[in-house]
Amino acid sequence: MALLSFLGAIQQVTGSCYLIETHGGAKVLLECGMHQGRRQEEEGNRAPFAFDPGTLDAVVLSHAHIDHSGLLPKLVAAGYKGPVHLTEATGELLELMLLDAANLQEKDAEWESKWRARQGKPPVQPLYTRVDAERMLGQRTPHAYEETFEAAPGVQVTFFDAGHILGSAIVQLDIEDFGQTRRVVFSGDLGNANAPLMKGPTALRQADVLLMESTYGDRDHRDHQATIEELADILQQAHRDGGNVLMPSFAVGRAQDLIFYLGLLYQQGRLPQQAVFLDSPMAIGANKVYARFQDQLDQSHAQAIEGFDKGRRRIEKWLPILKSTQTAEESMTINRFKSGAVIIAGSGMCNGGRILHHFKHNLWRKECHLVIPGFQSRGTLGRSIVDGAQTVKVLHQRIAVNAQVHTLGGFSAHAGQSQLLDWASHFESRPELYLVHGELEKMQILRQALHERLDWKANIPEPGDRIAI
Ligand SMILES: [Zn+2]
């Protein structure tokens, strides 16, 4: 019998990692994500892998987000030389994300080593370097959606569109052991069917074992149209108050959605600001990848919107007042705006990136508005602001949170509870169900909902649990 080990994103939302071992000796790693959030969780990134990377036959990756892919360069540095199977768009986005992650690791280690030197302590090594990331990128092996390939002897893999971000996949693994084939389906991150740019997640019907994400297992998102109206109101209010609007955002997925919504309001004459800054080199790069793979976006939605027609399909053209600030110098020019600007910058959970500089200039001003467009995991700066912190520490300074803080509930790139139940309900015979990628309380609520509405018993694995499949 083949074995599946739950190594990461178990009762939490980051560090996705699962290992499949067949009796015939094949070893396939599904995801190699980075832990993000609380310090002790991030320290987990430094722990040695729970397996010998040199013995893996293949790595399969659902999508480019760092919490699913961020430790791949470390895996390669630790001796993994085989293929990393992914979709073509994921491969391109991964290049942006991992080179950026490697630069951050190098800079952090350099900074910390400087401090340690003053205390007479030895320097720290980065988790991985740009060289490791570049070597890893050489191991990318792209596949089209719905094309089946053999990842390892007896392990056939097929990707299906998960509708979460460009290139995101639901991973189906057909595992042959002792002449029997067992099908494992891993949902990856499932998209929100209301998201404008992505198609809805593909419904699958057959599986023996199902691993389903549960980020929003406890609730449905706020009504989508109502959220657009709420955003329009915030923009009007900020215009009246004479302050800027800050939007911390993930560079891939969220930033493109925000540009879409701001463009929609612009086209309707409901965007009073003079400029929208996309202050994230990674998001600027991601826009280009989105433009290149536009056939994979939701065509029905794109065509329905004036201004999104052929030849004007690049996302930037949708919003003519969008200014992409690539360099640090360009970024600093934004500081001149005391009002009239919408600033989209990373990081999505405010624990790094250019958004911190904009916090320094705006967060203490009561006329400014901070729009939190998505989930903020525990231990992040974003979460403490959402939880009502009066002051926060930003770039070594304590700053008052006087800006008006708004949490928008309807723009998530993840399926809400009803959408998760709906996706799961397509499976014809009830597979063994394991909930992953979610905080424990949210999983418990989802488990209850699965029981009440679908009469389906879900399991919540513990970190390190291993099951026979
Ligand atoms: Zn994701």
Side-chain angles (χ1 to χ4, degrees), residues 10-14 35-42 215 218-219 250 348-351 374-387 438-445:
I10 307 304
Q11 303 183 12
Q12 54 179 310
V13 290
T14 67
H35 300 275
Q36 296 168 298
R38 287 179 184 157
R39 182 167 267 274
Q40 77 260 35
E41 281 160 11
E42 292 196 358
T215 315
D218 60 331
R219 66 189 126 134
F250 296 111
M349 298 195 195
C350 318
N351 42 348
F375 187 82
Q376 304 291 305
S377 102
R378 266 190 213 125
T380 59
L381 178 60
R383 178 73 162 249
S384 43
I385 293 174
V386 169
D387 288 346
E439 291 172 353
L440 181 60
E441 318 79 83
K442 299 182 187 202
M443 287 182 168
Q444 286 163 338
I445 295 169

Side-chain angles (χ1 to χ4, degrees), residues 229-245 270-273 339-340 366-371 404-406:
E229 294 307 314
E230 199 183 337
L231 175 62
D233 289 347
I234 296 165
L235 295 165
Q236 289 296 341
Q237 188 60 45
H239 179 63
R240 281 197 294 272
D241 291 346
N244 292 326
V245 181
R270 296 204 292 162
L271 181 66
Q273 278 71 18
S339 68
K366 65 177 188 335
E367 63 274 25
C368 285
H369 290 250
L370 170 63
V371 177
Q404 297 171 57
V405 180
H406 313 267

Side-chain angles (χ1 to χ4, degrees), residues 77-275:
Y80 177 62
K81 294 192 171 63
V84 175
H85 298 283
L86 33 62
T87 66
E88 206 183 335
T90 295
E92 296 212 13
L93 293 171
L94 195 63
E95 181 165 345
L96 292 170
M97 309 212 68
L98 292 186
L99 293 179
D100 179 77
N103 280 339
L104 270 178
Q105 295 297 336
E106 288 187 8
K107 265 197 233 154
D108 281 359
E110 194 185 308
W111 190 82
E112 203 176 327
S113 295
K114 253 188 219 163
W115 276 95
R116 289 169 64 90
R118 288 178 200 164
Q119 299 166 335
K121 291 182 181 167
V124 290
Q125 294 303 314
L127 188 58
Y128 50 80
T129 64
R130 195 182 165 91
V131 173
D132 299 324
E134 279 168 354
R135 195 179 312 145
M136 185 268 122
L137 292 168
Q139 292 167 230
R140 285 172 295 177
T141 308
H143 302 274
Y145 285 125
E146 304 190 21
E147 161 209 307
T148 300
F149 58 92
E150 187 174 65
V155 183
Q156 307 283 330
V157 175
T158 317
F159 292 129
F160 295 91
D161 192 348
H164 167 60
I165 59 166
L166 184 69
S168 64
I170 298 162
V171 183
Q172 174 181 289
L173 302 108
D174 289 313
I175 300 163
E176 206 193 307
D177 232 4
F178 290 119
Q180 243 200 355
T181 301
R182 298 275 287 169
R183 177 168 287 177
V184 176
V185 169
F186 169 56
S187 71
D189 283 358
L190 287 175
N192 175 353
N194 291 323
L197 299 177
M198 305 310 301
K199 297 172 187 169
T202 312
L204 299 184
R205 298 184 199 293
Q206 300 291 338
D208 298 301
V209 176
L210 174 60
L211 272 55
M212 186 166 75
E213 70 120 324
S214 33
T215 315
Y216 285 98
D218 60 331
R219 66 189 126 134
D220 284 331
H221 300 305
R222 283 208 53 203
D223 179 75
H224 190 246
Q225 197 52 44
T227 307
I228 297 174
E229 294 307 314
E230 199 183 337
L231 175 62
D233 289 347
I234 296 165
L235 295 165
Q236 289 296 341
Q237 188 60 45
H239 179 63
R240 281 197 294 272
D241 291 346
N244 292 326
V245 181
L246 304 186
M247 293 186 170
S249 170
F250 296 111
V252 177
R254 176 65 44 72
Q256 289 71 38
D257 282 353
L258 288 174
I259 292 166
F260 176 85
Y261 293 121
L262 291 166
L264 185 72
L265 295 174
Y266 177 89
Q267 303 281 340
Q268 295 169 350
R270 296 204 292 162
L271 181 66
Q273 278 71 18
Q274 307 157 39

Side-chain angles (χ1 to χ4, degrees), residues 62-68 164-165 168 188-189 413-414 437:
S62 71
H63 67 291
H65 277 151
I66 285 291
D67 57 325
H68 294 256
H164 167 60
I165 59 166
S168 64
D189 283 358
H414 283 268
H437 199 284

Side-chain angles (χ1 to χ4, degrees), residues 193 195-200 294-303:
L197 299 177
M198 305 310 301
K199 297 172 187 169
Q294 54 186 258
D295 328 348
Q296 294 187 15
L297 302 179
D298 184 340
Q299 301 300 313
S300 61
H301 204 110
Q303 280 164 0

